[in-house]
Amino acid sequence: MITLDYNNMMTEFVTNGIKEEALHALSNIAEKAVLNIEARRKKDLEFLELPYNQNDIINDILKYRDEMKHIETYVVLGIGGSALGTIALQNALNHPYYNELREEARCGLPKLYVIDNVDPEILASLLEIIDVDKSLFNVISKSGETIETMSQFKEIKKLLKNSENIVCTTDKENGSLIEIAKEEGYKCFYIPRNVGGRFSVLTPVSLLPLAFCGVDIKALLEGAALMDEQCKSTNISENPALAFAVLNYLSMKAGKNIIAMMPYANSLKYISDWFAQLWAESLGKKFDRNGNTVHVGSTPIKTLGVTDQHSMLQLFSEGPYDKIIVFIGSKKYRKEFADHSNLIQIEQAATQYALSTAERQNMTITLDEINEQSIGKLIHFFQIAVAYTAEFLNINAFDQPGVEETKKMTYALLHEKEEVLNRVKKKERYVI
Amino acid sequence: MITLDYNNMMTEFVTNGIKEEALHALSNIAEKAVLNIEARRKKDLEFLELPYNQNDIINDILKYRDEMKHIETYVVLGIGGSALGTIALQNALNHPYYNELREEARCGLPKLYVIDNVDPEILASLLEIIDVDKSLFNVISKSGETIETMSQFKEIKKLLKNSENIVCTTDKENGSLIEIAKEEGYKCFYIPRNVGGRFSVLTPVSLLPLAFCGVDIKALLEGAALMDEQCKSTNISENPALAFAVLNYLSMKAGKNIIAMMPYANSLKYISDWFAQLWAESLGKKFDRNGNTVHVGSTPIKTLGVTDQHSMLQLFSEGPYDKIIVFIGSKKYRKEFADHSNLIQIEQAATQYALSTAERQNMTITLDEINEQSIGKLIHFFQIAVAYTAEFLNINAFDQPGVEETKKMTYALLHEKEEVLNRVKKKERYVI
């Protein structure tokens, strides 16, 4: 069970909160949002079908994992959607010090590193601590053209004697990566054509590395399927993703341009990072679907309870009324530590209470416990909620035109550096 | 050298940017801000003196470190200001996989763990991977009353045979921690009375653990001293912290309520977390110094280049005009990785260009290289800039009244649970 408690979003609990009538007034649009998304399920929104249509893929993944049992280190080369889901779920579901466990304590499973930056210090440092010949490098890029990933890959390839140390996750037909993979005979897994990077956590993008690290990927998909069923209702008070979308839409319309994600569990820290990409890239848009300039999108921020009570809470409770806070809690923790065990839950309740008292809107998602099934539910909940929110905003949640300018300029700087740099004239007096 | 380039904050480069006249118009207030802060240097703002007044303390720290050379693991028990500086500087200055290096590669230095949450899973998991009898537990709480830290400490104490495995960092006179320390004869280091938690990174709070991990803490303070000197000018175009404060003040006044920190170096990732606390707790305030209700404070968000180009850039370039972006770059990286090495710098330049083209204000802090001295400069730059910004806003940067309600409620829930819980009545229909 996952529950969404939005009492503290409502005007009965927080001054200037949402009125129940405002929810009712949106019920027609809400119904249409669900039907619109549902209608695209078998067409271009394949992420909705991922919980159901991957039996063969799961078998392939598990078979490949068993063949590769000898590898000691699993390295993901990927960035953005190719990295964030794996980081989030590995941290949620495995030991917090997984890579530092002795091999027996890790049950012989490989260490996992996700290299999601082109900082030369990171890759050079990684090579100091791993044995490349006992490592499996998983190159992940849907387009096969991601400059950061392909650049890392080009260098790693030179160090490897054996093509079995490489596995590619990419589009089945398009891009440089699949071409290289075919030429060199690399093992490949595929990202479905109709699943975008930030919606790909339930594809081999994350399923493959997680399976290598002992995560029960079937249970993950089962959880997602259960949430998918729960989100078929067109009724706001029955469909949690729909309620989340409506509440966020109304908050954005009321001028709240920040959404703070605040899990009260160290293991869920990186769920916020994954959510941030999903939310920001899907909803941060210049144009609506009619071509009107709208510049919408609330900014997701990542916080962690109780840690950030000592960092962000002062601003949350006394600063501008510009944000909503989304708590994520768990009824149970997987380990005990003396009378410490319920302090985190008490502090979560105290912070919810204090923020409401300070008239700050907040809502709470509660998991029964943190495991594959509940995490499958949680991520699918967010994926569906983002799709709905875009319906209310009348924007396309599935493109990212705003990153093109950086890509073009990167390309230009790489290839004709001097001339392009001249375009960026600066005033020296604005440099101290 | 650290430079602050604010070309892209200005109207010559970004439509609706800041006019040069607006900077000039604030020159009197700016001068007063510097003089106000300077006047408090020898009184209540002792963080300004920390680069100069700690020779004896440094010697004590280094002597103690040499005595304790045999310890294998250094564990910080602390939260907020007692943890964030150490995490930030350890990541900035040591190997990215420090704890995973073999002992020889770590030159025999201890592993470092900072336990800044009361999640029972974290502490229980830590105990699975360390040998407590070969560990030094550094309990850090200025007030000596931090419930999270004291609760962790109470349990850890029970596991230890030897009082030499504990070192306390706290106020010299007040609070439970110094009392316990005196009773039990624990080694102690002190946090100066007039230095608040979020300004304590240059006290033994961080200097002690960093010294144990091989960081040159003298060079860190030398860097801070150099920045301190540079920030004595009352002229906006000479004092980088003053320029940063003015630019932020004008941006906030223009309705930009978000400040995104975006270092282009993995090693600087946690500088953003440390900055977030400093900024949010210092500037997120309900009242100004005349008692007027103001609800000010922009919200710091943590991003990382180039990684978050694949996560936040879409929103930054197409979403609302509600934020400024602060890049932090380095002219040199400490390791090379083939032709990869300058891709990160090219992408930084491309992103700055693309954001300016999209009319998004941004500025860039550039370090010559990342080392103890430059990091000392950088953190002191931010500390002074925050103090100045509060002067412009006419608020007290050095208190945090907004966290009291949570503390009171936590206490109430811990001690009279049922009755207090009844205060929080909920509507079941707002729970899905």
Side-chain angles (χ1 to χ4, degrees):
Chain A
M1 273 285 290
I2 284 192
T3 59
L4 172 70
D5 176 344
Y6 58 94
N7 276 272
N8 295 337
M9 292 295 290
M10 306 300 285
T11 194
E12 290 97 320
F13 297 92
V14 173
T15 308
N16 297 325
I18 293 166
K19 295 203 180 84
E20 202 165 350
E21 303 89 82
L23 295 185
H24 292 315
L26 285 171
S27 55
N28 285 340
I29 306 179
E31 185 179 354
K32 220 183 282 173
V34 175
L35 298 176
N36 283 350
I37 295 300
E38 202 51 37
R40 293 168 67 184
R41 171 185 291 272
K42 304 276 183 189
K43 290 191 270 181
D44 61 330
L45 298 190
E46 194 178 336
F47 79 91
L48 292 167
E49 285 292 289
L50 295 172
Y52 310 109
N53 69 6
Q54 295 190 97
N55 283 341
D56 291 349
I57 293 162
I58 295 290
N59 290 336
D60 277 0
I61 288 174
L62 298 179
K63 193 169 146 254
Y64 177 63
R65 180 198 63 183
D66 292 342
E67 285 163 24
M68 299 296 287
K69 275 241 155 85
H70 54 283
I71 66 136
E72 292 180 0
T73 315
Y74 192 107
V75 181
V76 170
L77 303 177
I79 193 165
S82 300
L84 289 162
T86 303
I87 296 170
L89 272 55
Q90 169 75 355
N91 277 280
L93 297 168
N94 265 324
H95 195 284
Y97 300 101
Y98 177 86
N99 277 357
E100 293 179 57
L101 293 174
R102 279 167 300 109
E103 205 193 331
E104 314 87 78
R106 232 176 30 244
C107 310
L109 297 169
K111 295 186 182 188
L112 176 70
Y113 298 92
V114 180
I115 305 299
D116 63 348
N117 205 351
V118 288
D119 184 330
E121 294 183 3
I122 277 291
L123 211 34
S125 298
L126 179 70
L127 295 176
E128 292 167 16
I129 62 162
I130 67 171
D131 180 342
V132 289
D133 292 319
K134 294 177 178 166
S135 300
L136 181 62
F137 290 89
N138 184 188
V139 194
I140 309 180
S141 165
K142 192 187 172 201
S143 69
E145 308 292 343
T146 316
I147 186 169
E148 297 87 355
T149 305
M150 294 308 282
S151 144
Q152 291 171 329
F153 177 43
K154 203 178 98 189
E155 297 305 320
I156 290 289
K157 243 168 72 107
K158 291 182 195 160
L159 307 173
L160 291 170
K161 303 182 198 89
N162 199 323
S163 68
E164 285 183 8
N165 293 83
I166 292 175
V167 54
C168 301
T169 309
T170 185
D171 187 87
K172 207 163 190 165
E173 289 163 17
N174 297 314
S176 305
L177 185 52
I178 188 68
E179 271 174 41
I180 299 170
K182 280 180 186 163
E183 238 164 67
E184 308 269 350
Y186 299 140
K187 173 75 182 170
C188 285
F189 289 88
Y190 304 108
I191 310 172
R193 177 72 48 87
N194 285 330
V195 177
R198 58 186 175 274
F199 289 87
S200 70
V201 55
L202 297 179
T203 73
V205 165
S206 294
L207 296 179
L208 184 61
L210 292 170
F212 269 82
C213 296
V215 169
D216 180 350
I217 57 176
K218 282 184 192 169
L220 200 61
L221 292 171
E222 281 161 18
L226 289 170
M227 180 54 67
D228 191 62
E229 289 304 318
Q230 214 186 330
C231 294
K232 283 184 173 157
S233 167
T234 56
N235 188 332
I236 294 170
S237 61
E238 286 170 4
N239 179 336
L242 189 60
F244 190 83
V246 173
L247 295 164
N248 270 287
Y249 171 64
L250 289 171
S251 300
M252 285 188 233
K253 276 199 11 174
K256 296 197 165 42
N257 64 337
I258 298 171
I259 172 171
M261 199 53 62
M262 196 166 189
Y264 270 69
N266 252 70
S267 61
L268 300 183
K269 181 173 178 181
Y270 295 95
I271 293 284
S272 303
D273 288 54
W274 169 81
F275 171 81
Q277 185 211 22
L278 180 71
W279 191 261
E281 275 200 340
S282 301
L283 304 181
K285 294 290 151 74
K286 179 174 181 180
F287 297 112
D288 72 9
R289 287 191 289 209
N290 304 324
N292 302 311
T293 301
V294 289
H295 292 301
V296 292
S298 59
T299 296
I301 69 169
K302 315 157 192 171
T303 58
L304 179 67
V306 307
T307 305
D308 287 332
Q309 291 178 203
H310 294 259
S311 162
M312 304 302 290
L313 183 57
Q314 167 67 32
L315 173 70
F316 287 3
S317 64
E318 289 207 345
Y321 294 88
D322 56 4
K323 52 181 75 68
I324 64 168
I325 294 104
V326 179
F327 294 95
I328 309 177
S330 179
K331 286 190 191 156
K332 263 208 308 233
Y333 291 78
R334 286 161 290 189
K335 288 177 184 173
E336 298 213 343
F337 187 71
D339 63 351
H340 221 69
S341 297
N342 69 346
L343 180 57
I344 189 167
Q345 291 171 320
I346 284 174
E347 295 216 39
Q348 183 188 333
T351 305
Q352 287 160 357
Y353 173 82
L355 284 174
S356 310
T357 304
E359 313 296 352
R360 310 294 166 148
Q361 287 178 294
N362 63 87
M363 53 181 144
T364 301
I365 297 163
T366 306
L367 315 184
D368 276 350
E369 57 183 0
I370 298 167
N371 57 31
E372 278 86 346
Q373 207 187 68
S374 68
I375 293 297
K377 283 185 182 179
L378 183 68
I379 56 175
H380 208 49
F381 162 80
F382 283 129
Q383 292 187 137
I384 298 172
V386 163
Y388 291 156
T389 308
E391 291 299 305
F392 287 100
L393 294 167
N394 189 31
I395 56 171
N396 182 354
F398 306 100
D399 63 356
Q400 51 283 332
V403 301
E404 285 311 311
E405 192 65 31
T406 296
K407 283 189 192 166
K408 269 190 259 170
M409 189 63 182
T410 297
Y411 186 87
L413 288 172
L414 278 170
H415 292 89
E416 36 164 358
K417 213 168 158 178
E418 286 315 313
E419 183 240 295
V420 179
L421 277 177
N422 287 337
R423 267 195 253 159
V424 196
K425 317 170 285 297
K426 298 235 166 146
K427 292 206 176 174
E428 276 312 311
R429 68 170 183 278
Y430 295 152
V431 181
I432 307 179
Chain B
M1 273 285 290
I2 285 191
T3 59
L4 173 70
D5 176 343
Y6 58 94
N7 275 273
N8 295 337
M9 292 295 289
M10 305 300 286
T11 194
E12 291 97 321
F13 298 91
V14 173
T15 308
N16 296 324
I18 294 166
K19 295 202 178 86
E20 202 165 351
E21 303 88 83
L23 294 185
H24 292 315
L26 285 172
S27 56
N28 285 341
I29 306 179
E31 184 179 356
K32 220 183 281 174
V34 175
L35 297 176
N36 283 350
I37 296 300
E38 201 51 36
R40 293 169 67 183
R41 172 184 290 272
K42 304 277 182 188
K43 289 192 269 181
D44 61 330
L45 297 190
E46 193 177 336
F47 80 90
L48 293 167
E49 285 293 290
L50 294 171
Y52 309 109
N53 69 6
Q54 295 191 95
N55 283 341
D56 292 349
I57 293 162
I58 296 291
N59 290 337
D60 277 1
I61 288 174
L62 298 179
K63 195 170 145 252
Y64 177 63
R65 180 198 62 183
D66 292 342
E67 286 163 22
M68 300 295 288
K69 276 240 154 88
H70 53 284
I71 65 137
E72 292 181 359
T73 315
Y74 192 108
V75 181
V76 171
L77 303 177
I79 193 165
S82 300
L84 290 162
T86 303
I87 295 170
L89 272 54
Q90 168 74 355
N91 278 280
L93 297 168
N94 265 324
H95 195 284
Y97 300 101
Y98 178 86
N99 277 357
E100 293 179 56
L101 293 174
R102 279 166 302 108
E103 206 193 330
E104 314 86 79
R106 232 173 31 243
C107 310
L109 297 169
K111 295 186 181 187
L112 175 70
Y113 298 91
V114 180
I115 306 298
D116 63 348
N117 205 350
V118 289
D119 184 330
E121 294 182 4
I122 277 291
L123 211 34
S125 299
L126 179 71
L127 295 177
E128 291 167 17
I129 63 163
I130 67 170
D131 179 342
V132 288
D133 292 318
K134 293 177 180 167
S135 300
L136 181 62
F137 291 89
N138 184 186
V139 194
I140 310 181
S141 166
K142 194 189 170 199
S143 69
E145 309 291 344
T146 315
I147 186 168
E148 296 87 357
T149 305
M150 294 307 284
S151 143
Q152 290 172 329
F153 177 43
K154 203 179 98 189
E155 297 306 319
I156 290 289
K157 243 169 73 108
K158 292 181 194 160
L159 306 174
L160 291 170
K161 304 183 197 89
N162 198 323
S163 68
E164 284 183 7
N165 293 84
I166 292 174
V167 54
C168 300
T169 309
T170 185
D171 186 87
K172 206 164 190 164
E173 288 164 17
N174 297 316
S176 305
L177 185 52
I178 187 68
E179 271 174 40
I180 299 169
K182 279 181 186 164
E183 238 164 66
E184 309 268 351
Y186 298 141
K187 173 76 181 169
C188 285
F189 288 89
Y190 304 108
I191 309 171
R193 177 73 48 86
N194 286 328
V195 177
R198 59 186 174 273
F199 289 87
S200 69
V201 56
L202 296 179
T203 72
V205 164
S206 294
L207 296 180
L208 184 62
L210 292 170
F212 268 82
C213 297
V215 168
D216 181 348
I217 57 176
K218 282 184 192 169
L220 200 62
L221 293 171
E222 282 162 17
L226 288 169
M227 181 52 68
D228 191 62
E229 289 303 318
Q230 215 185 328
C231 294
K232 283 184 173 157
S233 168
T234 56
N235 189 332
I236 294 170
S237 61
E238 286 170 4
N239 178 338
L242 189 59
F244 190 83
V246 172
L247 295 163
N248 270 287
Y249 171 65
L250 289 170
S251 299
M252 286 188 233
K253 275 199 12 175
K256 296 195 166 43
N257 64 335
I258 298 171
I259 172 172
M261 198 55 60
M262 195 166 189
Y264 270 69
N266 253 70
S267 62
L268 300 184
K269 181 173 180 181
Y270 295 95
I271 293 284
S272 302
D273 288 55
W274 169 83
F275 170 81
Q277 186 211 23
L278 181 71
W279 191 262
E281 275 200 340
S282 300
L283 304 180
K285 294 291 152 74
K286 178 174 182 180
F287 296 112
D288 73 8
R289 287 191 288 210
N290 304 325
N292 302 310
T293 301
V294 288
H295 292 302
V296 292
S298 59
T299 297
I301 70 169
K302 315 157 192 171
T303 57
L304 178 67
V306 306
T307 306
D308 287 331
Q309 290 178 204
H310 294 259
S311 163
M312 304 302 291
L313 183 59
Q314 167 67 32
L315 173 69
F316 287 3
S317 65
E318 290 207 345
Y321 294 88
D322 56 4
K323 51 180 74 70
I324 64 169
I325 294 104
V326 179
F327 294 96
I328 309 177
S330 180
K331 286 190 192 155
K332 263 209 307 233
Y333 290 78
R334 286 161 289 189
K335 288 177 184 172
E336 298 213 341
F337 187 72
D339 64 351
H340 221 70
S341 296
N342 69 345
L343 180 57
I344 189 166
Q345 291 171 321
I346 285 173
E347 295 217 37
Q348 183 188 332
T351 305
Q352 287 160 357
Y353 173 81
L355 285 175
S356 311
T357 303
E359 312 297 353
R360 310 294 166 148
Q361 287 177 294
N362 63 88
M363 53 181 145
T364 301
I365 297 164
T366 306
L367 315 184
D368 276 351
E369 57 183 359
I370 297 167
N371 58 28
E372 278 86 345
Q373 207 186 66
S374 68
I375 293 296
K377 282 184 182 179
L378 182 68
I379 56 174
H380 208 49
F381 162 80
F382 282 130
Q383 292 187 139
I384 298 172
V386 164
Y388 291 156
T389 308
E391 290 298 306
F392 287 100
L393 294 168
N394 189 31
I395 56 170
N396 181 356
F398 305 100
D399 63 356
Q400 51 283 332
V403 301
E404 286 311 311
E405 192 65 29
T406 295
K407 284 188 192 167
K408 268 191 258 170
M409 190 64 182
T410 297
Y411 186 87
L413 288 171
L414 279 170
H415 292 89
E416 35 163 1
K417 214 169 158 175
E418 287 316 311
E419 183 240 297
V420 179
L421 276 177
N422 287 336
R423 267 195 253 160
V424 195
K425 318 169 285 297
K426 299 236 165 143
K427 292 205 175 172
E428 276 313 311
R429 70 171 181 277
Y430 294 151
V431 182
I432 307 178

